[in-house]
Short mmCIF file of all heavy atoms in Angstrom, two decimals:
data_model
loop_
_atom_site.label_atom_id
_atom_site.label_comp_id
_atom_site.label_asym_id
_atom_site.label_seq_id
_atom_site.Cartn_x
_atom_site.Cartn_y
_atom_site.Cartn_z
N ASN A 41 -23.68 35.18 -20.92
CA ASN A 41 -23.97 36.41 -20.30
C ASN A 41 -24.02 36.35 -18.75
O ASN A 41 -24.24 37.36 -18.04
CB ASN A 41 -25.24 37.10 -20.80
CG ASN A 41 -25.12 37.47 -22.25
OD1 ASN A 41 -23.98 37.89 -22.73
ND2 ASN A 41 -26.18 37.30 -23.04
N LEU A 42 -23.92 35.10 -18.22
CA LEU A 42 -23.99 34.93 -16.78
C LEU A 42 -22.73 35.60 -16.12
O LEU A 42 -21.65 35.37 -16.58
CB LEU A 42 -24.07 33.41 -16.42
CG LEU A 42 -25.31 32.72 -16.92
CD1 LEU A 42 -25.25 31.22 -16.62
CD2 LEU A 42 -26.59 33.27 -16.21
N LYS A 43 -22.95 36.25 -15.02
CA LYS A 43 -21.88 36.81 -14.27
C LYS A 43 -21.32 35.85 -13.23
O LYS A 43 -21.93 35.68 -12.18
CB LYS A 43 -22.28 38.15 -13.63
CG LYS A 43 -22.61 39.26 -14.63
CD LYS A 43 -23.05 40.55 -13.89
CE LYS A 43 -23.38 41.63 -14.86
NZ LYS A 43 -23.78 42.92 -14.18
N LEU A 44 -20.30 35.09 -13.65
CA LEU A 44 -19.78 34.08 -12.79
C LEU A 44 -18.37 34.40 -12.32
O LEU A 44 -17.59 34.97 -13.15
CB LEU A 44 -19.74 32.74 -13.53
CG LEU A 44 -21.11 32.21 -14.08
CD1 LEU A 44 -20.90 31.02 -14.97
CD2 LEU A 44 -21.95 31.82 -12.81
N PRO A 45 -18.01 34.17 -11.05
CA PRO A 45 -16.68 34.49 -10.61
C PRO A 45 -15.66 33.62 -11.24
O PRO A 45 -15.89 32.47 -11.64
CB PRO A 45 -16.79 34.18 -9.08
CG PRO A 45 -17.90 33.23 -8.97
CD PRO A 45 -18.86 33.56 -10.02
N PRO A 46 -14.49 34.18 -11.45
CA PRO A 46 -13.37 33.35 -12.04
C PRO A 46 -12.93 32.12 -11.25
O PRO A 46 -12.19 31.29 -11.72
CB PRO A 46 -12.18 34.35 -12.23
CG PRO A 46 -12.51 35.35 -11.16
CD PRO A 46 -13.98 35.46 -11.04
N THR A 47 -13.38 31.98 -9.99
CA THR A 47 -12.93 30.92 -9.15
C THR A 47 -13.80 29.67 -9.29
O THR A 47 -13.52 28.65 -8.63
CB THR A 47 -12.96 31.36 -7.68
OG1 THR A 47 -14.35 31.79 -7.37
CG2 THR A 47 -12.00 32.50 -7.43
N VAL A 48 -14.88 29.65 -10.13
CA VAL A 48 -15.79 28.52 -10.23
C VAL A 48 -15.01 27.27 -10.77
O VAL A 48 -15.27 26.17 -10.29
CB VAL A 48 -16.98 28.82 -11.06
CG1 VAL A 48 -17.90 29.78 -10.45
CG2 VAL A 48 -16.59 29.28 -12.50
N GLY A 49 -14.07 27.50 -11.71
CA GLY A 49 -13.34 26.39 -12.28
C GLY A 49 -12.43 25.72 -11.24
O GLY A 49 -12.35 24.47 -11.16
N ARG A 50 -11.74 26.53 -10.45
CA ARG A 50 -10.85 26.00 -9.42
C ARG A 50 -11.65 25.27 -8.34
O ARG A 50 -11.30 24.16 -7.83
CB ARG A 50 -10.04 27.11 -8.76
CG ARG A 50 -9.21 26.74 -7.54
CD ARG A 50 -8.29 25.60 -7.82
NE ARG A 50 -7.33 25.98 -8.86
CZ ARG A 50 -6.36 25.15 -9.28
NH1 ARG A 50 -6.31 23.88 -8.85
NH2 ARG A 50 -5.48 25.55 -10.23
N SER A 51 -12.85 25.85 -7.96
CA SER A 51 -13.69 25.26 -6.96
C SER A 51 -14.23 23.88 -7.47
O SER A 51 -14.29 22.95 -6.69
CB SER A 51 -14.85 26.15 -6.58
OG SER A 51 -14.38 27.35 -6.02
N HIS A 52 -14.63 23.86 -8.69
CA HIS A 52 -15.11 22.63 -9.35
C HIS A 52 -14.07 21.55 -9.31
O HIS A 52 -14.32 20.40 -8.94
CB HIS A 52 -15.56 22.85 -10.74
CG HIS A 52 -15.81 21.66 -11.56
ND1 HIS A 52 -16.82 20.79 -11.28
CD2 HIS A 52 -15.17 21.06 -12.59
CE1 HIS A 52 -16.90 19.81 -12.13
NE2 HIS A 52 -15.83 19.91 -12.91
N SER A 53 -12.81 21.87 -9.65
CA SER A 53 -11.68 20.96 -9.65
C SER A 53 -11.34 20.47 -8.22
O SER A 53 -11.13 19.23 -8.07
CB SER A 53 -10.46 21.61 -10.31
OG SER A 53 -9.42 20.71 -10.35
N ASP A 54 -11.33 21.37 -7.32
CA ASP A 54 -10.95 21.01 -5.93
C ASP A 54 -12.02 20.10 -5.31
O ASP A 54 -11.70 19.09 -4.74
CB ASP A 54 -10.77 22.26 -5.11
CG ASP A 54 -9.54 23.00 -5.47
OD1 ASP A 54 -8.68 22.48 -6.18
OD2 ASP A 54 -9.36 24.17 -5.05
N LEU A 55 -13.31 20.50 -5.44
CA LEU A 55 -14.34 19.60 -4.86
C LEU A 55 -14.44 18.27 -5.61
O LEU A 55 -14.74 17.25 -5.00
CB LEU A 55 -15.74 20.34 -4.92
CG LEU A 55 -15.98 21.37 -3.85
CD1 LEU A 55 -17.32 22.01 -4.06
CD2 LEU A 55 -15.84 20.74 -2.47
N GLY A 56 -14.16 18.27 -6.94
CA GLY A 56 -14.18 16.97 -7.68
C GLY A 56 -13.06 16.10 -7.23
O GLY A 56 -13.30 14.86 -7.14
N GLN A 57 -11.92 16.71 -6.79
CA GLN A 57 -10.88 15.85 -6.22
C GLN A 57 -11.26 15.17 -4.93
O GLN A 57 -11.04 14.04 -4.69
CB GLN A 57 -9.64 16.78 -6.02
CG GLN A 57 -8.35 16.03 -5.63
CD GLN A 57 -7.15 16.95 -5.45
OE1 GLN A 57 -7.36 18.14 -5.28
NE2 GLN A 57 -5.98 16.44 -5.58
N TRP A 58 -11.94 15.97 -4.07
CA TRP A 58 -12.45 15.38 -2.85
C TRP A 58 -13.52 14.36 -3.06
O TRP A 58 -13.65 13.29 -2.39
CB TRP A 58 -12.97 16.54 -1.92
CG TRP A 58 -11.93 17.29 -1.24
CD1 TRP A 58 -11.52 18.54 -1.54
CD2 TRP A 58 -11.11 16.82 -0.10
NE1 TRP A 58 -10.40 18.89 -0.71
CE2 TRP A 58 -10.23 17.87 0.20
CE3 TRP A 58 -11.09 15.67 0.67
CZ2 TRP A 58 -9.38 17.78 1.25
CZ3 TRP A 58 -10.21 15.58 1.69
CH2 TRP A 58 -9.34 16.64 2.00
N LEU A 59 -14.43 14.59 -4.05
CA LEU A 59 -15.45 13.62 -4.41
C LEU A 59 -14.84 12.30 -4.84
O LEU A 59 -15.31 11.26 -4.44
CB LEU A 59 -16.34 14.20 -5.44
CG LEU A 59 -17.39 13.22 -6.09
CD1 LEU A 59 -18.40 12.82 -5.02
CD2 LEU A 59 -18.13 13.92 -7.26
N ALA A 60 -13.84 12.39 -5.77
CA ALA A 60 -13.21 11.17 -6.28
C ALA A 60 -12.55 10.36 -5.14
O ALA A 60 -12.82 9.16 -5.04
CB ALA A 60 -12.17 11.51 -7.38
N ALA A 61 -11.84 11.01 -4.29
CA ALA A 61 -11.22 10.32 -3.19
C ALA A 61 -12.22 9.75 -2.19
O ALA A 61 -12.05 8.68 -1.70
CB ALA A 61 -10.22 11.24 -2.42
N GLY A 62 -13.31 10.49 -1.98
CA GLY A 62 -14.36 10.07 -1.08
C GLY A 62 -15.06 8.89 -1.55
O GLY A 62 -15.41 7.94 -0.78
N VAL A 63 -15.29 8.77 -2.88
CA VAL A 63 -15.99 7.61 -3.49
C VAL A 63 -15.11 6.34 -3.30
O VAL A 63 -15.61 5.28 -2.92
CB VAL A 63 -16.26 7.84 -4.98
CG1 VAL A 63 -16.69 6.55 -5.68
CG2 VAL A 63 -17.39 8.89 -5.12
N VAL A 64 -13.79 6.47 -3.51
CA VAL A 64 -12.90 5.37 -3.35
C VAL A 64 -12.89 4.86 -1.97
O VAL A 64 -13.03 3.68 -1.68
CB VAL A 64 -11.50 5.74 -3.80
CG1 VAL A 64 -10.54 4.57 -3.60
CG2 VAL A 64 -11.47 6.10 -5.32
N VAL A 65 -12.78 5.79 -0.99
CA VAL A 65 -12.75 5.42 0.43
C VAL A 65 -14.09 4.74 0.82
O VAL A 65 -14.11 3.80 1.56
CB VAL A 65 -12.44 6.64 1.31
CG1 VAL A 65 -12.64 6.33 2.78
CG2 VAL A 65 -11.01 7.14 1.06
N LEU A 66 -15.12 5.29 0.32
CA LEU A 66 -16.51 4.76 0.67
C LEU A 66 -16.65 3.32 0.19
O LEU A 66 -17.15 2.45 0.88
CB LEU A 66 -17.60 5.63 0.07
CG LEU A 66 -19.05 5.28 0.41
CD1 LEU A 66 -19.28 5.60 1.94
CD2 LEU A 66 -20.02 6.07 -0.43
N VAL A 67 -16.14 3.05 -1.06
CA VAL A 67 -16.19 1.70 -1.59
C VAL A 67 -15.32 0.76 -0.77
O VAL A 67 -15.73 -0.37 -0.51
CB VAL A 67 -15.77 1.70 -3.08
CG1 VAL A 67 -15.60 0.32 -3.59
CG2 VAL A 67 -16.85 2.46 -3.89
N LEU A 68 -14.17 1.25 -0.33
CA LEU A 68 -13.26 0.44 0.46
C LEU A 68 -13.90 0.07 1.78
O LEU A 68 -13.78 -1.00 2.32
CB LEU A 68 -11.92 1.08 0.62
CG LEU A 68 -11.05 1.23 -0.65
CD1 LEU A 68 -9.79 2.03 -0.35
CD2 LEU A 68 -10.70 -0.17 -1.15
N ILE A 69 -14.61 1.06 2.40
CA ILE A 69 -15.29 0.84 3.64
C ILE A 69 -16.36 -0.26 3.48
O ILE A 69 -16.47 -1.16 4.28
CB ILE A 69 -15.93 2.14 4.15
CG1 ILE A 69 -14.84 3.08 4.67
CG2 ILE A 69 -16.96 1.83 5.23
CD1 ILE A 69 -15.39 4.46 5.03
N ALA A 70 -17.15 -0.12 2.39
CA ALA A 70 -18.21 -1.13 2.16
C ALA A 70 -17.64 -2.53 1.98
O ALA A 70 -18.11 -3.51 2.60
CB ALA A 70 -19.00 -0.73 0.89
N LEU A 71 -16.54 -2.65 1.16
CA LEU A 71 -15.98 -3.97 0.93
C LEU A 71 -15.34 -4.54 2.20
O LEU A 71 -15.50 -5.73 2.53
CB LEU A 71 -14.91 -3.88 -0.15
CG LEU A 71 -15.39 -3.51 -1.49
CD1 LEU A 71 -14.21 -3.35 -2.51
CD2 LEU A 71 -16.37 -4.58 -2.12
N SER A 72 -14.72 -3.71 3.02
CA SER A 72 -14.13 -4.16 4.24
C SER A 72 -15.11 -4.68 5.28
O SER A 72 -14.97 -5.72 5.91
CB SER A 72 -13.28 -2.98 4.90
OG SER A 72 -12.28 -2.54 4.08
N VAL A 73 -16.22 -3.95 5.30
CA VAL A 73 -17.32 -4.34 6.27
C VAL A 73 -17.93 -5.67 5.82
O VAL A 73 -18.18 -6.57 6.68
CB VAL A 73 -18.42 -3.23 6.36
CG1 VAL A 73 -19.60 -3.80 7.10
CG2 VAL A 73 -17.83 -2.02 7.11
N VAL A 74 -18.20 -5.79 4.57
CA VAL A 74 -18.81 -7.02 4.00
C VAL A 74 -17.88 -8.19 4.27
O VAL A 74 -18.35 -9.32 4.74
CB VAL A 74 -19.11 -6.89 2.49
CG1 VAL A 74 -19.47 -8.22 1.95
CG2 VAL A 74 -20.21 -5.92 2.32
N ILE A 75 -16.62 -8.10 3.97
CA ILE A 75 -15.67 -9.18 4.11
C ILE A 75 -15.48 -9.57 5.55
O ILE A 75 -15.50 -10.73 6.01
CB ILE A 75 -14.29 -8.83 3.49
CG1 ILE A 75 -14.49 -8.70 1.91
CG2 ILE A 75 -13.27 -9.92 3.76
CD1 ILE A 75 -13.23 -8.24 1.26
N ALA A 76 -15.38 -8.53 6.41
CA ALA A 76 -15.05 -8.77 7.86
C ALA A 76 -16.21 -9.30 8.67
O ALA A 76 -16.02 -10.01 9.63
CB ALA A 76 -14.56 -7.48 8.52
#
Side-chain angles (χ1 to χ4, degrees):
N41 294 326
L42 296 175
K43 294 182 179 180
L44 298 170
T47 57
V48 291
R50 173 57 62 181
S51 298
H52 168 68
S53 180
D54 290 345
L55 280 179
Q57 189 177 21
W58 283 103
L59 173 62
V63 168
V64 176
V65 172
L66 186 68
V67 171
L68 291 175
I69 289 173
L71 294 175
S72 300
V73 169
V74 169
I75 294 172

